Amino acid sequence: MTNHNQQETNATTAEKNIHTDFTHNMTYGEYLGLDKILSAQNRLSGHHDEMLFIVIHQVSELWMKLILHETKAAIVSIEEGDLSTAQKRLARVSKTQSQIIQAWDVLSTMTPSEYMEFRDSLGQASGFQSYQYRMIEFALGYKTDHVLKIYQKDPALHAELKAAFEAKGLYDVAIEALHKAGLPIDEDVLNRDVTKTYRDNESVRKAWMTVYHNTDHYWELYELAEKLIDLEDWLQQWRFRHMKTVERVIGFKMGTGGSSGVGYLKKVLDQRFFPELWAIRTEL
């Protein structure tokens, strides 16, 4: 018997326990709900490239679901004082963000001419209305209420968005962690209205400066700060790739959702989620 035949025989013997009868057992597809997922790409125009457009956005929404899952868990971990677990979860968020960023490279293979073939089929639907993306912004401390208005027609979703809007964000609990570590934080920051977008504060800046000047003593807070920087860095890279892809495909046309399109996307690049953590880099 040749070595090749022997290898084939060994492989067949090794895999003799592979399950093939699923009459009474759950399959891979059933576990993942693939019948629902893979039947959700409904092209309205019938145009070939609309499939790409739908899949990219659905995949991004799935990744955003994971980002929210991990970020919410990280918030709970920080509140409980378990910073190491929070760091693990936020590290996973950063890796997930890298996947969403790369998705723009795939979408950018669609040309303006191809997109124009089915753009009108979208009506007023737009990524601008992504409630998961807004919930990510809420979790990072940037609060705007326009999405609450968009989803008033869906009471259950509206309630979920409202709860996220009124909840403490990741930076709120990180600042509380500074306070719990004995670093002085202004009371008006600790008791702030969390439905308002966070604004930089001198006491928070000084607290982070203390952490960065004494990394051995505040190691877990220092590591947490760097994880927060990772999140904002990757989010801004996602926004930049979004803006450039939109510019590449539709130029400076108005967005389907009524926004100014590229102009709006350029403006949000200036938003800061963790302003003191960026400011102290100049001072250190």
Side-chain angles (χ1 to χ4, degrees):
M1 181 179 291
T2 66
N3 288 338
H4 178 70
N5 290 337
Q6 182 64 54
Q7 288 172 356
E8 286 187 341
T9 300
N10 292 341
T12 301
T13 302
E15 306 301 343
K16 65 182 179 180
N17 293 321
I18 289 179
H19 296 288
T20 57
D21 183 0
F22 287 89
T23 306
H24 303 292
N25 295 301
M26 178 178 64
T27 65
Y28 168 82
E30 289 169 339
Y31 172 67
L32 294 176
L34 291 182
D35 56 336
K36 296 178 182 178
I37 295 174
L38 299 180
S39 62
Q41 294 73 46
N42 303 308
R43 290 178 289 167
L44 298 181
S45 69
H47 190 274
H48 176 85
D49 291 289
E50 190 179 356
M51 180 65 75
L52 166 64
F53 190 83
I54 293 171
V55 168
I56 288 294
H57 287 85
Q58 288 180 340
V59 167
S60 294
E61 290 290 339
L62 283 171
W63 282 129
M64 281 191 269
K65 183 171 185 175
L66 180 59
I67 287 172
L68 284 167
H69 177 71
E70 298 294 344
T71 303
K72 290 175 183 177
I75 289 172
V76 173
S77 294
I78 296 170
E79 288 182 307
E80 294 174 348
D82 186 359
L83 300 188
S84 60
T85 298
Q87 290 160 18
K88 166 69 174 178
R89 288 166 174 163
L90 295 179
R92 183 174 293 165
V93 170
S94 295
K95 292 296 184 181
T96 306
Q97 288 175 298
S98 70
Q99 296 299 308
I100 297 182
I101 292 170
Q102 291 176 12
W104 293 119
D105 293 337
V106 183
L107 187 58
S108 67
T109 63
M110 184 170 60
T111 68
S113 298
E114 290 163 346
Y115 182 48
M116 288 305 112
E117 290 291 327
F118 65 85
R119 187 176 191 245
D120 288 345
S121 300
L122 304 180
Q124 295 178 327
S126 167
F128 183 81
Q129 299 145 15
S130 169
Y131 62 86
Q132 287 200 123
Y133 175 74
R134 298 304 173 185
M135 289 175 73
I136 290 172
E137 287 190 331
F138 292 170
L140 299 183
Y142 184 76
K143 302 292 181 76
T144 53
D145 64 0
H146 56 79
V147 174
L148 301 182
K149 299 172 185 176
I150 291 170
Y151 287 97
Q152 284 178 335
K153 70 176 185 178
D154 185 335
L157 179 54
H158 185 267
E160 185 180 356
L161 281 162
K162 190 171 184 292
F165 182 75
E166 295 174 350
K168 291 179 181 177
L170 186 59
Y171 203 42
D172 293 312
V173 295
I175 291 171
E176 288 177 357
L178 291 171
H179 176 66
K180 291 174 183 176
L183 295 163
I185 302 293
D186 292 343
E187 285 297 321
D188 61 343
V189 174
L190 296 173
N191 300 314
R192 79 181 194 87
D193 180 357
V194 296
T195 66
K196 306 296 183 184
T197 296
Y198 178 79
R199 301 298 180 209
D200 59 316
N201 174 268
E202 182 67 12
S203 68
V204 175
R205 186 191 63 79
K206 288 181 178 178
W208 284 125
M209 282 291 287
T210 300
V211 168
Y212 274 76
H213 278 303
N214 300 274
T215 57
D216 289 344
H217 184 70
Y218 296 107
W219 182 257
E220 286 196 322
L221 286 169
Y222 170 64
E223 285 284 282
L224 175 61
E226 287 299 296
K227 290 293 183 291
L228 295 179
I229 285 291
D230 284 344
L231 259 63
E232 181 164 343
D233 189 353
W234 282 110
L235 182 62
Q236 294 294 60
Q237 290 188 52
W238 181 90
R239 284 173 161 178
F240 179 79
R241 290 295 298 124
H242 183 189
M243 181 268 292
K244 294 306 293 183
T245 302
V246 170
E247 184 177 3
R248 175 173 178 159
V249 176
I250 68 168
F252 287 83
K253 292 185 180 71
M254 181 178 289
T256 51
S259 74
S260 59
V262 170
Y264 169 80
L265 296 173
K266 283 185 175 181
K267 182 173 65 176
V268 298
L269 287 171
D270 293 330
Q271 291 174 359
R272 287 289 195 198
F273 296 98
F274 317 126
E276 295 89 355
L277 289 175
W278 292 99
I280 63 172
R281 279 158 160 71
T282 305
E283 303 173 37
L284 285 169

